[in-house]
Amino acid sequence: MLKQTISQKMLQKLSPQQIQLMKLLQVPTINLEQRIKEELEANPALEEGLEREDRLVEEQENRDEATDDNFELDEYLQDYIDDDPSSYKLSSNNYNSDEEDKTIPIAVHQSFHDHLEEQLGLLRLNNEQEETIALQIIGSIDEDGYLRRSPVAILDDLMFSQNIFTDEATVKSMLQKIQRFEPPGIGAQDLQECLLLQLELKLEDDFDLDDEDLINLKRAKLIIRKYFDAFTKKHYEKLQKQLDISQDQLRNAIGEILKLNPKPASGYSTANQRSAQYVTPDFFIYTRDGELELELNSRNAPDLRVSDQYRDMLRSYRNNRRKGTSNREQKEAVVFIKQKIDSAKWFIDAIVQRQQTMYNTMYTIMQYQYDFFLTGDKKRLRPMILKDIAEITGLDISTISRVANSKFVQTEFGTFRLKEFFSESLSTTDGEDVSTTEVKNVLKDVIDEENKTKPLSDQKLMDILREKGYDIARRTVAKYREQLGVPVARLRKEL
């Protein structure tokens, strides 16, 4: 049986303007210029204007929008004409005068695959088919310099994409030629083969090696070829016993291995790599006369304003209405113009609010972490979470999160991600709350200063930190060590 009921609900929905602001807050400065260009292309009523004064645009007063077909446009048109829509532009008073160049530099490098193809041109090949096979192999080498595909898979690629039928021996023969290209080690299928290729090429150039170097290289090759697993696990005592050599002899052999490059293509930009990206700071913090000053980087935010041409269209329509010469088509056109102008103003206001929100958020972070920004000492970072900044600024936690995401601040001590300043608190033995970032920095210092022949275990690291006043558990030490990218004690061991 159907039953009809009435209920009341309170729902909170974001307006299109609020959604637009939230999206803009997530955009870092380096991408903001492209976002503005997209809006300029989509909205003809929005245009990039010349800088006339350094001020933020005044907030537009809310206007009731008529919904029926017979709404009155006179007052609306008069507001637009008197208000001068061209004054709706964007120019931040926090503009950094040193950042006038709006061109983002892009590094240009010869790609790794271009380098290999140049060397291929120096080979004497028998026919075009061999060249095609070689190019297929080169194209299959990844950005680290490894050939992850097997010869059989390359055979299939040649058959389906190039209509070339050959055999596995031909592919392997061509691969061996490519593996002699510069840089040494390219075309290997795994790390072990990569290191072996480099050692073999060094041994071939033995005319400039003395006897001791030659012996060390041969031992290094033996270690990689026969005892690779023991080497990667740093079982040095086992290696000494199996090779029947002294610790100094093992150290010299391993020293030759450490000179090799595990990623042969690391010095080149590959064809499938992205163009080199440069960090563009969103904020600048300077110290002047012992005080901190904050500037918002606005170099990728050009002045924006409502088109003068669209204002003239509205004035023309208003004059025609007074003369009684307006028609239905003109009325439809002016409704379209109104929508575009409103959209332009909303976008300009969103950009302005973005700048104000970012500035206020960063200013609060700067004040909260004042000692760090003044000294650059990471041990002076205070525990700080998103909620702390949200409560001070009066903004929502999600808004603070959007501002902190993918944003950078340039200081006199380097450029940092905003996320680096947010950390939980940890109590010391004295009951004082300190930042987990500070604990990680102390942990890193302890590991850096340890005796690498006898690296410290997580238990010993915990004991040292507790002696320094940090009440921390062993599993927490292990977690922080992993977050710092530091391996376990056994893998940190050196001869």
Side-chain angles (χ1 to χ4, degrees), residues 103-111 269-270 273-278:
T103 303
I104 299 175
I106 298 296
V108 179
H109 299 287
Q110 180 189 37
S111 76
S269 63
T270 58
Q273 255 182 332
R274 293 179 178 179
S275 298
Q277 295 289 326
Y278 295 86

Side-chain angles (χ1 to χ4, degrees), residues 47-48 62 83 89 131 136 147 153 227 248 253 290 360 479:
E47 65 181 21
E48 188 171 348
N62 294 327
D83 203 21
K89 62 185 187 61
E131 182 180 0
Q136 185 69 38
L147 180 65
Y227 308 106
D248 286 340
N360 293 338
K479 182 178 75 172

Side-chain angles (χ1 to χ4, degrees), residues 314-352:
L314 290 177
R315 180 184 289 114
S316 175
Y317 177 79
R318 182 168 180 267
N319 293 334
N320 289 339
R321 278 179 59 85
R322 288 176 177 176
K323 295 176 182 178
T325 59
S326 62
N327 53 40
R328 183 185 180 89
E329 289 76 12
Q330 288 179 334
K331 186 175 182 179
E332 291 176 353
V334 84
V335 171
F336 171 79
I337 292 170
K338 175 185 179 299
Q339 292 173 345
K340 291 301 180 182
I341 290 178
D342 284 342
S343 178
K345 285 193 173 186
W346 288 337
F347 184 77
I348 293 172
D349 287 343
I351 292 290
V352 173

Side-chain angles (χ1 to χ4, degrees), residues 172-221:
K172 287 183 176 179
S173 174
M174 189 58 62
L175 175 59
Q176 288 174 357
K177 294 179 181 178
I178 293 172
Q179 285 176 341
R180 301 185 66 83
F181 287 180
E182 290 287 337
I186 59 101
Q189 291 192 318
D190 52 39
L191 177 60
Q192 183 179 15
E193 184 182 7
C194 177
L195 299 178
L196 275 175
L197 286 171
Q198 294 179 60
L199 288 169
E200 288 170 356
L201 289 173
K202 280 192 171 187
L203 285 168
E204 288 181 11
D205 299 332
D206 59 358
F207 59 92
D208 58 348
L209 298 174
D210 56 33
D211 293 340
E212 185 178 354
D213 290 338
L214 194 60
I215 292 172
N216 290 333
L217 284 170
K218 288 181 177 179
R219 283 188 182 136
K221 181 181 176 182

